[in-house]
Amino acid sequence: MTSVTTPDGLPDGLPDYLCPTDGTRVASDSLDWSCPTCRGPLDLDFSPTPAPLDALSGRHVNSLWRYAECLPLPAPAISLGEGRTPLVELAGTVSAKLDFLMPTLSFKDRGAVVLAALARRLGPDRVIADSSGNAGTAVAAYCARAQLPCTVYVPARTSPKKLEQIGAHGARLEVVDGDREATARAARAAADDPGTFYASHVHNPYFLHGTKTYVHELWEDLGGRLPDALVVPVGNGTLLLGAALAVRELRAAGLIERTPELYAVQSAAVAPLAAAWRAGADDLLAETPMAPTFAEGIAIPRPPRARQILQAVRESGGAFLTVTEDQITAAQLDLAARGLYVESTGVACWAAVRDGTLGERTTVVPLCGAGAKTGLATG
């Protein structure tokens, strides 16, 4: 296990990591990116108590650090004002949270700022990440803000606009021949080098504690309640698992009486979790057919936190939904006609519910990435 000393020489005061599979505990100052026993993703030994609604009303911080009690490290100096995105009505009982209005134009800023703050505190020699685009862009931007050297591994088919954005932030690009899974393998191999901080939005639980602020914001903006249904796009499941964390925190603190159902949306072309769900399985099936999809951000063949994702959806009383390429294209054009230009992955949830699938349930969908990142889903 590799550990580091914080730049100021003080005890880091951070929670330890815990393996959800075998209970292995990992020191808070470790640069290990997975459980040393089973090599699975880690969670945090961290159970915060959210501030009540009246305590938030007097706060002037207009970023996700508004919810400081619920975050596993102090507010950093590297914040770009991420979070606090608008909630707007779409149609009927469905509203959208405009998370594409983030500094790097995607919801991944919520987790990236927390990872960069942690990396800056630990002081590694370099930071690496792997991504289909948005997470890598966010990590590159926040590492630039934190003055940390950063390398981002991306699949060869990544959108040129996303590659341009990552490079503009000063990150080194490692383009991997192969799919998203091959890219992750290349990054994980590099992550084992001494002095390397793996800013993995999948394996590092700090990212999930950033994405959970999506739900804390909804709860505040809705006056201390949550909608009947939260519909979330799922590839690696970082937004869904963050949402589940926030719901548990709010419920444990007695700040909500009823928990929302979680609906996970996948592209029908790459839907390993939906297939496992339909089969009643607790983990991924041995093989699931895959095909090209416009929803590149959720085209993940074997998400490492699959068991946790399936469990979170089941416990909420929700389900998995899948959308076709035609539905994605139609939803993107429909949102554009409503004044919202969203990337093809980011429209998946609207594609899943715009035909009234969830009936009269009050529903919120995230619009996760700006359309300028990928263009229209055509051809």
Side-chain angles (χ1 to χ4, degrees):
M1 180 182 301
T2 303
S3 62
V4 297
T5 304
T6 57
D8 56 13
L10 298 174
D12 58 44
L14 304 175
D16 284 345
Y17 298 96
L18 281 177
C19 176
T21 301
D22 59 30
T24 298
R25 183 176 290 269
V26 177
S28 61
D29 61 350
S30 173
L31 290 179
D32 280 1
W33 57 267
S34 63
C35 173
T37 304
C38 71
R39 301 303 285 177
L42 296 166
D43 288 341
L44 285 183
D45 185 9
F46 181 61
S47 301
T49 301
L53 202 60
D54 56 0
L56 293 174
S57 62
R59 293 186 179 177
H60 301 294
V61 177
N62 197 32
S63 73
L64 61 81
W65 300 96
R66 181 178 182 87
Y67 311 101
E69 294 90 349
C70 294
L71 295 171
L73 75 175
I78 63 172
S79 174
L80 292 168
E82 56 287 328
R84 302 297 293 144
T85 53
L87 181 65
V88 301
E89 291 184 7
L90 277 183
T93 59
V94 182
S95 297
K97 190 158 173 60
L98 310 190
D99 258 26
F100 67 90
L101 299 179
M102 290 276 195
T104 77
L105 308 182
S106 92
F107 88 95
K108 296 290 177 61
D109 288 3
R110 293 185 183 276
V113 66
V114 183
L115 287 182
L118 175 63
R120 189 181 190 189
R121 190 176 176 93
L122 298 178
D125 296 330
R126 65 170 183 158
V127 175
I128 68 168
D130 61 283
S131 170
S132 60
N134 284 339
T137 299
V139 170
Y142 283 96
C143 281
R145 187 74 168 180
Q147 297 184 312
L148 293 166
C150 178
T151 300
V152 180
Y153 290 73
V154 294
R157 294 184 63 183
T158 301
S159 162
K161 295 179 182 180
K162 292 180 180 180
L163 295 178
E164 179 182 338
Q165 190 179 8
I166 292 170
H169 290 306
R172 176 185 170 189
L173 276 165
E174 288 282 353
V175 179
V176 178
D177 288 332
D179 60 12
R180 184 66 183 83
E181 190 66 23
T183 303
R185 286 196 299 269
R188 290 196 295 264
D192 288 328
D193 290 344
T196 299
F197 179 89
Y198 184 21
S200 171
H201 59 292
V202 182
H203 287 83
N204 195 309
Y206 277 82
F207 195 93
L208 306 181
H209 285 272
T211 62
K212 75 182 179 184
T213 58
Y214 172 86
V215 167
H216 285 288
E217 289 175 19
L218 282 178
W219 172 77
E220 183 181 3
D221 289 343
L222 293 173
R225 61 182 179 84
L226 290 173
D228 298 329
L230 293 172
V231 183
V232 183
V234 171
N236 278 310
T238 55
L239 185 54
L240 184 137
L241 291 174
L245 274 174
V247 169
R248 286 198 295 270
E249 290 170 3
L250 291 166
R251 185 64 183 269
L255 296 174
I256 53 173
E257 295 181 359
R258 180 178 48 81
T259 58
E261 298 169 346
L262 298 177
Y263 288 86
V265 179
Q266 296 209 284
S267 163
V270 184
L273 289 159
W277 170 267
R278 289 193 293 267
D282 294 329
D283 206 342
L284 298 174
L285 305 179
E287 286 189 32
T288 307
M290 307 289 171
T293 178
F294 294 130
E296 63 181 14
I298 54 174
I300 309 298
R302 302 200 68 79
R305 293 187 184 267
R307 293 183 67 89
Q308 290 178 295
I309 297 165
L310 289 162
Q311 182 180 357
V313 172
R314 285 198 176 97
E315 289 180 349
S316 77
F320 280 79
L321 307 172
T322 58
V323 292
T324 66
E325 301 303 287
D326 286 346
Q327 285 178 299
I328 290 170
T329 298
Q332 188 180 37
L333 293 173
D334 180 63
L335 284 173
R338 298 169 187 266
L340 299 165
Y341 188 38
V342 183
E343 71 170 332
S344 47
T345 299
V347 307
C349 292
W350 179 233
V353 302
R354 64 190 286 256
D355 62 356
T357 299
L358 299 186
E360 295 303 310
R361 294 177 180 87
T362 56
T363 301
V364 173
V365 301
L367 303 184
C368 295
K373 285 173 170 280
T374 57
L376 290 172
T378 57

